[in-house]
Amino acid sequence: MSDPLDEPAPATHPATGLDDVVHQRVRLGILTIAHEARRVEFGFLRTQLELTGGNLSQHLGVLESAGLIEVEKGYAGRRARTWVTLTDAGQAALAEEIARLKQLIVRVETADGR
Amino acid sequence: MTAEPIPAGGDPHRMLAHVRHLTRRVRVAQRVTWLPLLVLALVTFAAIPFHRYGTQVLGCTVIPNGQVCEVRNTAAGVYWLVALALSYVAIAYGYLRAARARGLGGRVMPYVVTGIALAVLSSSGLLLIVHEGWGRAIAESPDPPNGLTLFLFRVVEVGSTIGMALLVLAWLERHLALLLFTVGYLAVVLVPLDFGWNAHWGGFTWGFLPTLLVRGGVLLLGGLGFALAQRPWRHR
């Protein structure tokens, strides 16, 4: 584990604080949809993100390992269903990622304006 | 892993646009806007017999321009409270069921809670007005009630509470069309245009009818309109 004192302060440059688990188009999409929907089914994610089932499963595995989502398997009638829910850590990570993206945009625009 | 992190240079705009796009798609997929409008239209039409046959005349007083009768309609008050509470429960069930069928969770609960809370507040407000005799005091007053008093009466009416709860739903769904519809509906409820209905429809026996028909009709047409507008999504 790295020493927190060695980490640069987020205020100095927001890009240094970006989390690789979240700062990825598909995983950011999964977190966004799960946040907005409260609870989302595997099939909806696959359709909206235009992924194969295997690819989506890999991304879900990364997020689940990081504790950002919970995956729940069940049945609706005879159909197997997989539901994804955002954890509190996932909510925080998504909010942090969006805040940092906005900071980056402000910094880039400020730099361009000089 | 097939998808790699996008390089930070120049991509925050794209990432945020991606987030906004997905957020909007989820909100659109969660909408079942026609359901509350149709349910509330039916509840409004079903109130007609309670308003017609539930009215009791408690007594009349002669005033310079005629007479003022004190009427009470407990049946309609109880009907609206029970019917609205059951309607919001049914709407919540329908929303969650539809969202689940589409592979999503629902976000309708704040609307339902607001709707029930407003229905309870409205019923309490109207009971207070009857209990304190404010309605009769205003009617017996030699001066006609001022615009603000009439407006406040309309605000605590059940029609307004339906509209205010719909405003919450429009905000939850970030639904501009529903917001515009609700503003129009509230205008119908709050603006005192009766085209002489009360004078020509038999006072307290049938005088309520045009108001309920217009409000129910607006909700019904809105529900049908949203059902038609949202239909293509279901077949996509």
Side-chain angles (χ1 to χ4, degrees), chain A residues 24 36-37 39 41 48 55, chain B residues 2-3 25 27 103 105 107:
Chain A
Q24 198 280 342
E36 198 57 35
R39 193 164 179 257
E41 208 258 324
Q48 294 299 320
N55 199 346
Chain B
T2 54
R25 292 192 76 150
R27 285 176 183 161
R107 50 188 302 117

Side-chain angles (χ1 to χ4, degrees), chain A residues 47-100:
Chain A
T47 310
Q48 294 299 320
L49 298 170
E50 298 174 345
L51 296 172
T52 63
N55 199 346
L56 176 58
S57 293
Q58 284 184 319
H59 286 292
L60 291 177
V62 172
L63 292 170
E64 191 179 18
S65 301
L68 303 184
I69 60 166
E70 281 175 0
V71 177
E72 178 194 340
K73 292 180 190 294
Y75 284 89
R78 289 183 181 176
R79 284 182 62 194
R81 292 256 189 152
T82 302
W83 291 89
V84 175
T85 315
L86 214 54
T87 62
D88 289 344
Q91 299 272 11
L94 178 63
E96 176 84 355
E97 169 74 5
I98 289 173
R100 292 208 184 264

Side-chain angles (χ1 to χ4, degrees), chain B residues 12-119:
Chain B
H13 277 113
R14 212 149 47 95
M15 295 285 265
L16 277 180
H18 181 56
V19 166
R20 289 195 190 100
H21 172 72
L22 290 173
T23 299
R24 191 177 177 284
R25 292 192 76 150
V26 171
R27 285 176 183 161
V28 169
Q30 284 175 315
R31 287 176 187 165
V32 199
T33 315
W34 57 270
L35 177 67
L37 299 180
L38 286 186
V39 169
L40 293 169
L42 290 178
V43 166
T44 303
F45 291 137
I48 290 171
F50 292 91
H51 279 267
R52 173 61 187 85
Y53 299 107
T55 304
Q56 294 172 286
V57 182
L58 300 178
C60 295
T61 310
V62 177
I63 60 168
N65 298 331
Q67 63 174 359
V68 172
C69 291
E70 186 181 0
V71 296
R72 189 170 291 175
N73 193 333
T74 313
V78 172
Y79 165 78
W80 276 111
L81 185 59
V82 173
L84 283 180
L86 290 177
S87 301
Y88 286 119
V89 171
I91 290 165
Y93 177 75
Y95 252 88
L96 293 176
R97 197 178 153 88
R100 195 178 164 85
R102 294 166 185 175
L104 296 165
R107 50 188 302 117
V108 75
M109 290 318 287
Y111 165 65
V112 169
V113 171
T114 306
I116 292 176
L118 286 174

